[in-house]
Amino acid sequence: MSDQLPFENTFLLLKPDAVQRGLIGRLISRIEEKGLKIVAMKMLQITPEQAARQYECHFGKPFYPSLVEFICSGPSVAMIIEGRGAISLCRRLMGSTSPENSQPGTIRGDYSLDVKHNLIHGSDSPESFAHEAKVYFSEEEIVKYRLDLERWIYYS
Ligand code: IDP
Ligand code: MG
């Protein structure tokens, strides 16, 4: 159908607070249960250089130094996700940045109380995805495969 959103990839990062709070499995389940496909995934300790590349759009903002310090403060889980309209869909699954606006039912709305410790990062545009994915993954680390379930998830 022509009105369906295109398949696209997005970059998600389960931040150090998600790992420390034992929420890795729960948050990945939300992505899988929605029908999205994980095409790359790794746990890593983010370096200040990687953090600076990922968050270069926020350089100079008051919260930038504490954001970089936080994102490097413990292991994170980096993922690339594929699905129809995956970028905006994952942003909706994540919920708003600010705790006052993140709705119950979203990841941040259900599990976070703080603008900084908000558990998850997601690309906000195809350009951000292209930039962020390169910080953490090589092309060879992105796996191309079909889920047998796809015909039960997508109208074709
Ligand atoms: P997003 O993660 O919802 O895209 P951005 O505005 O891109 O939000 O901010 C990047 C990250 O910086 C946020 O997820 C949050 O961890 C942190 N951050 C944003 N605004 C503030 C703030 O006002 N104080 C402290 N940390 C902030
Ligand atoms: Mg952002």
Side-chain angles (χ1 to χ4, degrees), residues 125-145:
S125 65
E127 295 73 31
S128 310
F129 165 71
H131 173 75
E132 294 161 2
K134 276 200 203 77
V135 175
Y136 298 105
F137 292 101
S138 64
E139 276 299 322
E140 301 75 59
E141 289 175 307
I142 304 172
V143 185
K144 293 181 181 45
Y145 67 102

Side-chain angles (χ1 to χ4, degrees), residues 92-104:
R92 279 182 283 131
L93 292 174
M94 286 163 50
S96 298
T97 315
S98 89
E100 304 88 65
N101 297 328
S102 52
Q103 296 292 319

Side-chain angles (χ1 to χ4, degrees), residues 74-86:
S76 297
V77 176
M79 292 180 278
I80 296 179
I81 302 300
E82 182 189 297
R84 280 197 196 277

Side-chain angles (χ1 to χ4, degrees), residues 16 43-48 50 69-77 136:
M43 175 176 261
L44 78 169
Q45 176 80 42
I46 295 178
T47 65
Q50 287 172 316
E69 192 268 332
F70 163 57
I71 219 73
C72 298
S73 65
S76 297
V77 176
Y136 298 105

Side-chain angles (χ1 to χ4, degrees), residues 58 91 121 124:
H58 294 306
R91 295 287 300 186
H121 167 88
D124 61 10

Side-chain angles (χ1 to χ4, degrees), residues 15 55 58 63 66-67 70 91 94-97 108 115-118 120-122 124:
K15 297 181 181 182
Y55 284 122
H58 294 306
F63 62 83
S66 95
L67 172 60
F70 163 57
R91 295 287 300 186
M94 286 163 50
S96 298
T97 315
R108 289 167 170 175
V115 68
K116 177 165 135 179
H117 300 94
N118 61 9
I120 186 164
H121 167 88
D124 61 10

